[in-house]
């Protein structure tokens, strides 16, 4: 074998119990390649092959096809020679052909990537050799037609001309089946298959205008480069953006000797999970098909059978198949091939122990001989993610740290998804039943095409089966229903990964793409009709069903407790109402990090008083309006402070530009004029006066309090009086008054002095005091640079990263939609900086401010509020630079707690 140390090495061989790579080399070999190497070393039977590195993919994108092929030529030839030696076949030989599979494989599994090409090396000559060698002409022709179909679809891009049309290859298969009056493609005979090869090739030549390549080497290079190309296809790019996978990673290419599950009744292929990917239960499960190959199991061409006897019985019960029928028509692998099953079962247990995680595995049996084709950490739901880790901990396979590191923080959001309301579901009518492919409740309007999922606010994507092209639509839809495919189908796997509700394999659903109709037992449903799905039970309902918030599970509490044990970063919530505060506490908030007072001014009476203040001619008028607002504001703040008893609450003084409050339509302006006893013209004039060219850089933040001190005065009164009143009730509060948008020390100083004067006066009046802090938001780049001076006046800093990003980049948040997506597409930015903190630039500003602030005051309390407080990578950054807490919306608190624990462990 080659030495992996050689930096120029682009090809890594595996097979026959040895390998150049291993599972630690996922970055270079992709996850599939690294794990194939690892399994070889472990002595698990894996067909020999080799992996072309992910770095080569990057080279390919730089230097192009021809150059990469010449760079790879020698290494690939050597690697193929090893495969030939191991298999006793020859690549390109007519008599004894070595057939190959070409598979993509990046660091993480990507459903948007290229499909696999199997049986590469087939042509009009090698098919004869294969017949002579195996004496099985049905097998040889089946292999050939599969090759032409896959190569045609995947490499040559032959496809349906419109989305309503059926896949043209499938159309041909259907035609043959119809002519013969058979249902299954495994019943096609040699004559059919032979003719089908011709038809497939004609189809390819017609669509591409080129001859179908006969030369195996041409086939191979075309397939390898097609895998590289697929890294940049729109589906893959979409998936990467969705999952924040960097483009630089690239994909590896795995080339491997074929093993054949389509050699007859003693052969087959299957997919299995070492534990349940939906619920996390420790139950080995999976699906297989006899006399089948590759994607047959997942694509739903035939109803897949269950691997275990227990699984088979459960399946039969839910599908309404009698025990006799089950045993004869759909026996489990355990019953049908007990030796193979035993081998599979042993292997899955070994693999799970070896990787210490639930594995998603693929295997093939060729005439009784067992081969493993893949193992990887299985995609799972959030519930399964937690349960599996907790169980592995109890089984002594992993420790607490590993439990936490195995959790994907952003998946926790799934747990907060709604479930059907118990009463509403009782009244609902079940119209079909499928497999519970991905749990959850979804209600929406039917769409039949992925690119139409956005047609309705709530849509349910109904398909015969999904394919990687449907990714974006699956993401947009609220739920997915498929007529075909099992628990391991594309739809099921992708939906679980996305945490999206999915019912698959609902056999009674007949989909007609042309008429845009779905028929179930003669009942017709049209596009736009409402249906509901229960992905936990597999039930499909007619109509819209009310949902409610899901309950938090015990596993969730266990994981959160564990996270709290390891994290050092505090977690607070952005909240303005009692309800939000209660939610925040339920999810584990340790205080409010941002209470935006302007959010308390929009409802009813409040907005009127604010408008009155804004539209007043002079200070007297403003004070009059503010006096009326004071008791309401005090009451609102009291509710928040009460809900957060014993916990700190950061209350931010009024921040937005005033024009956000004023009426822009004539009706409301009239009402305002009447209310204030002034003419409509006066109002209109005032509205005109308040217009700003750049409101975000205009009269807002502390600039309001500086120009209208009476606003700050009123807010100070409301806060302190509320706290004192609560104290009288025996409730302890810790208000932290936050002054927004500071750019100079003097601004802070003036506002602080004003606050202190008012507060001291109230203390004196009431003869009582409370503890409070006065701090500031750091959200203007200048403030970061003079943070040492600002810290002299501030008890705390809270980074307002929304504004800091806006002003640091010079991107108006409200206008960025026009160019940000293009910036991301062109790779100028890796992600939206308003969602994921830009650590490189904005991060530096935060670091400078933190260092300077703490240089003045070692104990300065520092936190972050804004969208980034709930983003895992940003939370990690906050931990690293030593902040005290992050603050985010209540629903993101669990994510922040977990991310904070992971940051502490890393
Ligand atoms: P995916 O990443 O979508 O799972 P794979 O590369 O694993 O794609 O391949 C798709 C299908 O082809 C799988 O069912 C796999 O078992 C089958 N397959 C891949 N390589 C071989 C091979 N060398 N022999 C037989 N079947 C193969
Ligand atoms: Mg695939
Ligand atoms: Mg696979």
């Amino acid at each position: 074998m080659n030495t992996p140390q050689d930096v120029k090495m682009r090809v890594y061989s595996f097979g026959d119990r040895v390998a150049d790579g291993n599972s630690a080399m996922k970055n270079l070999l992709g996850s599939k390649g690294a794990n194939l190497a690892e399994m070889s070393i472990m002595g698990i039977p894996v067909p020999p092959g080799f992996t072309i590195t992910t770095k080569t993919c990057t080279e390919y994108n730089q230097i192009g096809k021809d150059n990469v092929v010449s760079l790879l030529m020698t290494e690939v030839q050597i690697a193929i020679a090893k495969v030939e030696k191991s298999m006793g076949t020859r690549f390109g030989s007519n008599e004894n052909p070595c057939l190959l599979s070409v598979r993509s494989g990046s660091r993480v599994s990507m459903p948007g990537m290229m499909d696999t090409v199997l049986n590469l090396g087939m042509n009009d000559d090698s098919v004869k050799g294969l017949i002579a060698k195996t004496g099985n002409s049905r097998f040889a022709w089946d292999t050939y037609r599969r090759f032409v179909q896959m190569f045609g679809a995947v490499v040559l891009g032959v496809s349906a001309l419109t989305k309503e049309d059926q896949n043209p290859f499938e159309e041909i298969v259907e035609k043959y089946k119809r002519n013969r009056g058979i249902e299954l493609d495994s019943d096609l005979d040699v004559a059919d298959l032979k003719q089908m090869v011709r038809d497939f090739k004609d189809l390819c030549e017609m669509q591409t205008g080129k001859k179908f390549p006969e030369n195996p080497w041409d086939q191979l290079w075309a397939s390898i480069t097609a895998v590289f190309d697929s890294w940049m296809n729109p589906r893959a790019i979409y998936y990467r953006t969705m999952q924040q996978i960097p483009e630089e990673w690239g994909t590896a290419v795995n080339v491997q000797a074929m093993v054949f599950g389509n050699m007859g009744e003693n052969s087959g292929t299957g997919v299995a999970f070492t534990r349940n990917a939906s619920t996390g239960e420790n139950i080995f499960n999976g699906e297989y098909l006899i006399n089948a190959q590759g994607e047959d199991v997942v694509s739903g061409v035939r109803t897949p059978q269950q691997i275990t006897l227990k699984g088979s019985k459960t399946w039969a019960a839910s599908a309404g198949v009698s025990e006799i029928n089950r045993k004869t028509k759909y026996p489990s692998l355990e019953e049908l091939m007990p030796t193979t099953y035993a081998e599979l079962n042993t292997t899955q247990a070994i693999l799970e122990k070896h990787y210490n995680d639930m594995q998603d595995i693929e295997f093939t049996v060729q005439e009784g001989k067992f081969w493993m084709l893949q193992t990887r950490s299985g995609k799972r739901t959030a519930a399964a993610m937690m349960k599996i880790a907790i169980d592995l901990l109890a089984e002594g396979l992993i420790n607490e740290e590993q439990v936490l590191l195995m959790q994907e923080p952003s998946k926790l959001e799934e747990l907060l998804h709604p479930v059907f309301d118990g009463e509403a579901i009782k009244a609902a009518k079940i119209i079909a039943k499928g497999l519970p492919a991905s749990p959850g409740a979804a209600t929406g309007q039917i769409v039949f095409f992925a690119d139409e999922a956005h047609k309705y606010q709530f849509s349910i994507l109904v398909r015969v089966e999904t394919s990687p092209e449907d990714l974006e639509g699956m993401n947009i839809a609220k739920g997915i229903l498929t007529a075909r495919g099992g628990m391991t189908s594309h739809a099921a796997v992708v939906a679980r990964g996305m945490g999206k509700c999915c019912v698959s394999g609902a056999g009674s659903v007949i989909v007609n793409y042309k008429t845009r109709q779905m028929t179930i037992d003669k009942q017709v449903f049209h596009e736009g009709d409402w249906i509901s799905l229960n992905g936990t039970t597999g039930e499909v309902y007619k109509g819209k069903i009310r949902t409610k918030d899901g309950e938090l599970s015990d596993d969730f509490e266990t994981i959160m407790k564990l996270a709290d044990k390891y994290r050092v970063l505090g977690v607070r919530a952005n909240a303005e109402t009692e309800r939000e505060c209660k939610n925040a506490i339920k999810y584990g908030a340790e205080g409010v990090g941002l209470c935006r007072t302007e959010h308390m001014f929009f409802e009813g009476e409040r907005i009127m008083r604010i408008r009155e203040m804004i539209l007043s001619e002079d200070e007297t008028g403003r004070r009059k309006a503010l006096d009326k607002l004071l008791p309401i504001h005090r009451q609102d703040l009291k509710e928040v402070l009460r809900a957060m008893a014993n916990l700190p609450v950061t209350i931010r003084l009024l921040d937005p530009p005033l024009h956000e409050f004023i009426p822009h339509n004539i009706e409301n302006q009239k009402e305002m004029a009447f209310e204030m006893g002034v003419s409509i013209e006066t109002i209109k004039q005032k509205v005109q006066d308040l217009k700003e060219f750049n409101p975000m850089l205009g009269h807002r933040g502390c600039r309001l309090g500086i120009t209208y001190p009476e606003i700050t005065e009123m807010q100070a009164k409301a806060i302190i009086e509320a706290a004192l009143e609560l104290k009288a009730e025996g409730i302890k509060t810790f208000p932290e008054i936050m002054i927004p948008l500071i750019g100079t020390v003097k601004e802070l100083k003036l506002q602080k002095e004003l606050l202190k004067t008012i507060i001291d006066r109230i203390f004196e009046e009431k003869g009582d005091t409370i503890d409070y802090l006065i701090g500031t938001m750091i959200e203007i780049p200048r403030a970061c640079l003079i943070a040492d001076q600002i810290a002299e006046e501030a008890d705390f800093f809270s980074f307002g990263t929304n504004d800091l990003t806006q002003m640091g980049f010079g991107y108006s948040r409200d206008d960025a939609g026009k160019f940000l997506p293009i910036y991301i597409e062109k790779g100028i930015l890796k992600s939206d900086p308003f969602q994921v903190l830009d650590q490189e630039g904005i991060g530096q500003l935060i670091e400078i401010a933190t260092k300077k602030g703490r240089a003045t005051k070692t104990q300065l309390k520092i936190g972050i509020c804004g969208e980034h407080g709930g983003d895992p990578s940003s939370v990690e950054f906050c931990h690293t630079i030593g902040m005290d807490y992050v603050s985010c919306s209540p629903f993101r608190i669990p994510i922040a707690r977990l991310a904070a624990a992971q940051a502490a462990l890393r």
Side-chain angles (χ1 to χ4, degrees):
M1 294 268 146
N2 297 321
T3 48
Q5 279 76 17
D6 181 352
V7 283
K8 288 269 161 49
M9 203 166 137
R10 292 185 180 82
V11 174
Y12 287 66
S13 291
F14 58 80
D16 297 319
R17 301 180 155 261
V18 283
D20 294 330
N22 59 52
S23 66
M25 295 167 73
K26 291 201 172 75
N27 293 359
L28 188 64
L29 303 180
S31 123
K32 196 177 287 165
N35 287 334
L36 284 167
E38 185 82 7
M39 284 196 289
S40 292
I41 299 169
M42 289 168 73
I44 289 170
V46 170
F50 56 90
T51 305
I52 304 173
T53 64
T54 53
K55 276 198 184 143
T56 316
C57 178
T58 311
E59 279 181 302
Y60 172 84
N61 286 325
Q62 287 158 0
I63 62 177
K65 175 173 171 169
D66 294 344
N67 290 320
V68 159
V69 170
S70 50
L71 278 179
L72 282 171
M73 189 60 83
T74 317
E75 278 187 84
V76 167
Q77 281 169 344
I78 294 171
I80 287 198
K82 285 183 201 162
V83 175
E84 292 172 336
K85 191 162 166 233
S86 166
M87 298 300 284
T89 53
R90 277 195 72 78
F91 187 61
S93 153
N94 292 339
E95 293 73 40
N96 183 21
C98 169
L99 301 186
L100 300 173
S101 78
V102 176
R103 324 167 65 181
S104 59
S106 60
R107 276 191 217 183
V108 294
S109 107
M110 276 184 40
M113 294 282 303
M114 194 196 84
D115 289 325
T116 300
V117 178
L118 299 178
N119 312 313
L120 188 139
M122 289 304 292
N123 57 34
D124 288 343
D125 296 318
S126 59
V127 71
K128 289 178 202 144
L130 205 57
I131 295 170
K133 187 181 157 192
T134 61
N136 185 342
S137 57
R138 191 196 177 278
F139 155 71
W141 284 104
D142 183 52
T143 303
Y144 194 7
R145 69 101 190 179
R146 284 170 182 274
F147 169 65
V148 180
Q149 174 167 0
M150 287 183 127
F151 189 90
V154 171
V155 180
L156 303 178
V158 173
S159 60
L161 296 177
T162 77
K163 67 182 176 186
E164 284 89 358
D165 287 326
Q166 207 188 354
N167 173 298
F169 292 106
E170 273 177 36
E171 208 167 352
I172 295 173
V173 177
E174 291 299 323
K175 191 184 78 194
Y176 279 91
K177 289 202 278 193
R178 255 199 321 275
N179 290 347
R180 288 251 161 215
I182 54 174
E183 237 177 75
L184 301 177
D185 60 352
S186 47
D187 292 335
L188 292 164
D189 67 13
V190 176
D192 293 333
L193 294 167
K194 215 168 160 174
Q195 190 52 44
M196 214 181 270
V197 168
R198 294 272 87 77
D199 291 356
F200 281 178
K201 280 189 168 178
D202 289 346
L203 170 68
C204 292
E205 289 171 4
M206 208 173 64
Q207 267 204 22
T208 63
K210 288 198 193 107
K211 269 215 86 53
F212 190 90
E214 290 281 317
N215 181 315
W217 280 100
D218 292 345
Q219 296 172 353
L220 180 62
W221 290 118
S223 302
I224 290 173
T225 49
V227 173
F228 286 148
D229 284 331
S230 75
W231 182 251
M232 296 307 286
N233 78 26
R235 277 154 24 203
I237 292 172
Y238 181 80
Y239 189 78
R240 282 206 290 278
T241 314
M242 191 166 88
Q243 301 283 321
Q244 293 177 14
I245 296 170
E247 189 186 303
E248 310 79 275
W249 283 7
T251 179
V253 185
N254 299 291
V255 180
Q256 194 180 20
M258 280 301 297
V259 288
F260 301 99
N262 58 334
M263 269 198 155
E265 295 306 305
N266 203 9
S267 304
T269 185
V271 182
F273 290 91
T274 60
R275 296 182 188 226
N276 187 312
S278 274
T279 64
E281 282 169 294
N282 187 4
I283 297 172
F284 177 50
N285 65 96
E287 295 170 335
Y288 78 103
L289 280 174
I290 287 295
N291 199 9
Q293 200 185 53
E295 305 275 352
D296 289 1
V297 175
V298 298
S299 71
V301 287
R302 279 188 261 157
T303 307
Q305 290 159 235
Q306 300 299 309
I307 282 174
T308 65
L309 175 57
K310 209 170 150 208
S312 183
K313 290 199 159 165
T314 316
W315 168 83
S318 84
V321 173
S322 73
E323 176 59 13
I324 303 217
N325 248 338
R326 183 199 71 75
K327 248 182 139 162
T328 48
K329 274 179 128 172
Y330 307 101
S332 64
L333 187 72
E334 193 172 355
E335 294 158 285
L336 197 66
M337 296 184 169
T339 327
T340 300
Y341 174 77
E343 256 177 294
L344 171 66
N345 199 15
T346 314
T347 309
Q348 67 92 11
I350 292 173
L351 285 170
E352 193 182 90
K353 266 229 165 68
H354 185 77
Y355 287 98
N356 284 326
D357 194 9
M358 185 263 274
Q359 298 293 296
D360 166 356
I361 61 181
E362 294 175 1
F363 64 93
T364 282
V365 191
Q366 175 176 336
E367 301 195 296
K369 174 151 174 46
F370 175 77
W371 294 95
M372 278 295 298
L373 289 168
Q374 189 172 325
T375 189
R376 64 176 173 218
S377 284
K379 284 201 189 301
R380 63 202 73 182
T381 63
M385 165 180 89
M386 298 187 305
K387 173 149 178 59
I388 289 170
I390 293 168
D391 287 352
L392 289 171
L393 176 69
E395 291 159 31
L397 291 172
I398 57 173
N399 59 27
E400 289 180 353
E401 282 93 334
Q402 285 166 307
V403 167
L404 288 169
L405 291 171
M406 266 171 81
Q407 308 301 307
E408 223 180 288
S410 51
K411 277 190 92 70
L412 292 180
E413 229 167 323
E414 249 178 69
L415 298 168
L416 313 174
H417 284 179
V419 295
F420 286 129
D421 182 290
E423 287 307 307
I425 201 82
K426 272 188 213 148
K429 185 169 173 270
I430 297 184
I431 46 173
K433 212 165 174 273
L435 298 166
S438 181
T443 203
Q445 293 174 272
I446 297 175
V447 293
F448 291 104
F449 300 97
D451 63 354
E452 294 177 10
H454 61 268
K455 254 192 179 170
Y456 307 103
Q457 194 192 354
F458 298 93
S459 61
I460 302 280
L461 179 63
V462 178
R463 300 283 302 167
V464 174
E465 174 52 283
T466 64
S467 80
E469 282 107 84
D470 299 336
L471 206 63
E472 186 168 356
M474 292 173 75
N475 192 27
I476 294 168
K478 299 290 171 211
I480 299 143
L481 170 63
T482 73
R484 290 202 313 219
M487 293 290 286
T488 56
S489 66
H490 178 266
V493 171
V494 171
R496 282 195 293 269
M498 286 177 176
K500 181 124 324 188
C501 167
C502 174
V503 172
S504 71
S508 61
V509 173
I510 298 162
V511 179
N512 188 330
Y513 292 131
K514 283 225 156 88
T515 57
R516 297 180 180 236
Q517 282 178 341
M518 149 176 110
T519 314
I520 302 172
D521 298 333
K522 301 210 176 93
Q523 198 173 352
V524 179
F525 295 83
H526 301 268
E527 183 182 290
D529 286 352
W530 284 84
I531 56 167
S532 301
L533 308 177
N534 184 340
T536 316
T537 61
E539 279 149 355
V540 183
Y541 296 87
K542 187 175 171 171
K544 202 170 168 176
I545 301 176
R546 200 170 58 238
T547 56
K548 59 168 195 184
D549 285 349
E551 301 271 308
L552 296 174
S553 66
D554 291 347
D555 286 347
F556 172 83
E557 297 299 343
T558 307
I559 294 286
M560 284 298 119
K561 254 199 209 116
L562 212 52
D564 292 347
K565 184 171 159 187
Y566 286 91
R567 77 182 155 92
V568 283
L569 203 57
V571 177
R572 296 197 193 179
N574 298 350
E576 285 89 30
T577 64
E578 190 187 354
R579 216 191 102 160
E580 284 168 347
C581 290
K582 288 199 166 141
N583 261 334
I585 289 191
K586 185 167 100 189
Y587 297 135
E590 297 157 316
V592 165
L594 179 63
C595 172
R596 291 160 283 212
T597 49
E598 62 271 16
H599 284 212
M600 304 170 124
F601 292 148
F602 282 108
E603 265 170 45
E605 166 87 27
R606 300 164 183 81
I607 186 86
M608 298 299 286
R609 298 289 80 85
I610 281 279
R611 285 173 176 172
E612 188 183 329
M613 182 218 35
I614 295 170
L615 299 170
S616 295
E617 276 306 312
D618 52 16
E619 190 186 324
T620 326
R622 281 196 294 275
R623 283 194 182 274
K624 218 175 95 196
L626 286 166
D627 283 346
K628 289 186 228 163
L629 193 56
L630 173 63
I632 309 174
H633 196 31
R634 187 170 55 217
Q635 187 53 35
D636 289 346
L637 286 165
K638 228 171 129 179
E639 273 171 28
V640 167
L641 288 167
R642 189 200 302 277
M644 300 306 284
N646 299 315
L647 298 171
V649 178
T650 308
I651 300 162
R652 180 177 71 184
L653 301 183
L654 194 64
D655 179 61
L658 295 180
H659 78 97
E660 285 191 12
F661 292 102
I662 52 177
H664 290 278
N665 65 9
I666 190 81
E667 278 314 305
N668 292 352
Q669 289 177 353
K670 271 190 194 147
E671 190 186 330
M672 201 69 238
F674 177 77
E675 177 90 4
M676 291 178 66
V678 295
S679 74
I680 178 86
E681 275 64 43
T682 317
I683 301 285
K684 279 192 174 152
Q685 185 54 46
K686 193 78 198 179
V687 170
Q688 197 54 36
D689 292 349
L690 282 168
K691 258 217 179 106
E692 292 180 294
F693 286 106
N694 292 310
M696 279 299 121
L697 301 175
H699 194 188
R700 58 172 285 224
C702 68
R703 297 160 204 170
L704 292 172
I706 303 264
T707 47
Y708 301 140
E710 54 277 14
I711 300 179
T712 306
E713 277 179 37
M714 185 281 287
Q715 291 203 280
K717 276 189 206 150
I719 296 166
I720 299 299
E721 287 173 6
L724 282 170
E725 284 177 20
L726 287 168
K727 186 180 176 188
E729 290 178 32
I731 294 167
K732 238 185 157 150
T733 63
F734 296 95
E736 303 179 341
I737 304 172
M738 181 153 77
I739 299 161
L741 219 70
I742 290 293
T744 64
V745 203
K746 199 66 197 264
E747 288 168 316
L748 178 58
K749 220 172 155 171
L750 282 176
Q751 285 288 289
K752 188 176 150 186
E753 274 165 14
L754 176 61
L755 284 170
K756 280 205 160 314
T757 316
I758 303 289
I759 293 170
D760 288 341
R761 199 192 299 152
I762 300 171
F763 283 170
E764 205 168 315
E765 269 170 36
K766 308 274 172 189
D768 199 359
T769 64
I770 49 140
D771 290 332
Y772 69 94
L773 299 178
I774 296 177
T776 180
M777 274 188 101
I778 301 287
E779 49 190 335
I780 289 182
R782 187 178 195 279
C784 295
L785 303 179
I786 57 152
D788 46 346
Q789 297 173 43
I790 293 181
E792 303 267 3
E793 301 294 332
D795 297 326
F796 64 88
F797 281 180
S798 176
F799 287 97
T801 45
N802 296 347
D803 263 311
L804 194 57
T805 301
Q806 174 159 263
M807 291 188 238
F809 269 101
Y811 296 162
S812 154
R813 229 190 330 160
D814 306 305
D815 302 306
K818 292 205 180 98
F819 56 88
L820 267 190
I822 297 160
Y823 268 43
I824 291 166
E825 202 183 292
K826 289 197 188 289
I828 297 171
L829 294 174
K830 282 203 182 113
S831 46
D832 179 347
F834 291 106
Q835 277 167 25
V836 179
L837 186 72
D838 161 53
Q839 297 183 16
E840 192 186 1
I842 306 301
Q844 269 195 61
L845 287 170
I846 296 175
E847 247 182 298
I848 292 171
T850 305
K851 280 213 187 93
K852 289 200 159 195
R854 290 240 169 96
T856 303
K857 251 186 208 157
T858 6
Q859 294 307 318
L860 187 72
K861 207 173 186 186
I862 297 181
I864 181 179
C865 53
E867 301 305 313
H868 303 98
D871 165 68
S873 69
S874 314
V875 170
E876 183 165 355
F877 173 80
C878 296
H879 169 88
T880 318
I881 69 158
M883 282 194 196
D884 295 296
Y885 67 88
V886 295
S887 188
C888 55
S889 78
F891 291 103
R892 298 191 72 86
I893 285 172
I895 298 175
R897 284 161 83 189
L898 185 54
Q902 291 185 340
L905 291 171
R906 279 191 184 123

